[in-house]
Amino acid sequence: MTDDERWSQDIATLRRAAEELARRRNGLHKPRSVSPFEKIAHSLDDPSPEVRQKAVRELYEVDPDQAATFVNDALRDGSPEERRRIGTALADSGLLYEAIEDLKGENHESCYGAFSLLFLIAKAGVVEPLISVIENEQNVELSLALIRLLASSGEPEVVAAFRRLAANGSLAPEVRRVANESLTPFH
């Protein structure tokens, strides 16, 4: 099976989850119209990675809460490989870096949504983009928050990443210490 065929299967799973959520919210017996959100979700079947990334971005632009629920349901029901593809699509769409910028900004109202998105990416097992941010970030508080977020995901992929952070002499001592301490629950 090719990557595009696997992606199509993954997107079909995401679409079914979104449709089920919409049915539960709207009631089973009401006539159902296709929402803009659902129309965009259908475009996730496209074989082009660029189109899929754009669709992920549009889902979050149309309704961030519904998109987060949609992605969370797909992560819960998906295989590890499906979860990783979903997380990669989120990260590659540019939403990860926008969330990081939201956390750096003065608008504290956007912090919950930003952390939610980053948690979904971590929960999908896509930890390297977040580790890269920690390694390159000058803001120690943001780096510590990302380490805590990664630790709370419970994903086994963070163990090697935390070891790398703990051994990275170019990072702030507090960042190295918290990365090392965050390894304890994984033992």
Side-chain angles (χ1 to χ4, degrees):
M1 183 179 290
T2 68
D3 285 342
D4 287 337
E5 289 169 329
R6 277 189 228 113
W7 178 261
S8 291
Q9 286 180 340
D10 295 345
I11 296 310
T13 301
L14 283 170
R15 190 176 339 103
R16 284 191 304 274
E19 289 168 354
E20 177 61 30
L21 177 64
R23 276 194 294 279
R24 282 186 288 181
R25 286 185 176 167
N26 293 329
L28 294 175
H29 302 293
K30 292 181 182 178
R32 198 167 88 71
S33 62
V34 178
S35 71
F37 185 88
E38 290 173 302
K39 288 178 186 174
I40 296 166
H42 286 287
S43 71
L44 290 172
D45 286 330
D46 196 283
S48 166
E50 292 81 15
V51 171
R52 293 188 305 256
Q53 291 166 10
K54 182 180 177 201
V56 167
R57 174 176 282 291
E58 287 176 357
L59 288 175
Y60 272 86
E61 288 173 357
V62 168
D63 187 337
D65 293 334
Q66 188 177 4
T69 300
F70 175 73
V71 170
N72 195 33
D73 289 346
L75 291 175
R76 182 190 64 232
D77 298 335
S79 71
E81 186 177 326
E82 290 169 330
R83 290 193 305 269
R84 200 160 286 111
R85 276 198 212 107
I86 294 165
T88 300
L90 287 168
D92 290 348
S93 72
L95 291 170
L96 180 146
Y97 297 103
E98 288 180 17
I100 295 296
E101 290 303 314
D102 285 346
L103 293 175
K104 289 179 184 181
E106 297 296 319
N107 182 359
H108 297 291
E109 293 174 14
S110 61
C111 286
Y112 175 79
F115 271 117
S116 295
L117 177 71
L118 295 174
F119 182 75
L120 289 173
I121 292 169
K123 193 67 180 163
V126 179
V127 299
E128 277 309 310
L130 295 169
I131 294 298
S132 178
V133 169
I134 294 166
E135 290 173 328
N136 296 305
E137 182 55 49
Q138 299 301 311
N139 182 328
V140 172
E141 290 303 314
L142 177 58
S143 293
L144 295 175
L146 291 175
I147 291 170
R148 290 182 187 107
L149 179 133
L150 285 164
S152 70
S153 76
E155 290 300 307
E157 290 84 0
V158 302
V159 173
F162 283 171
R163 285 187 182 126
R164 190 173 82 220
L165 291 174
N168 186 338
S170 69
L171 294 176
E174 188 174 2
V175 171
R176 293 194 321 265
R177 180 184 56 77
V178 171
N180 191 48
E181 290 171 356
S182 296
L183 286 167
T184 305
F186 292 96
H187 293 297

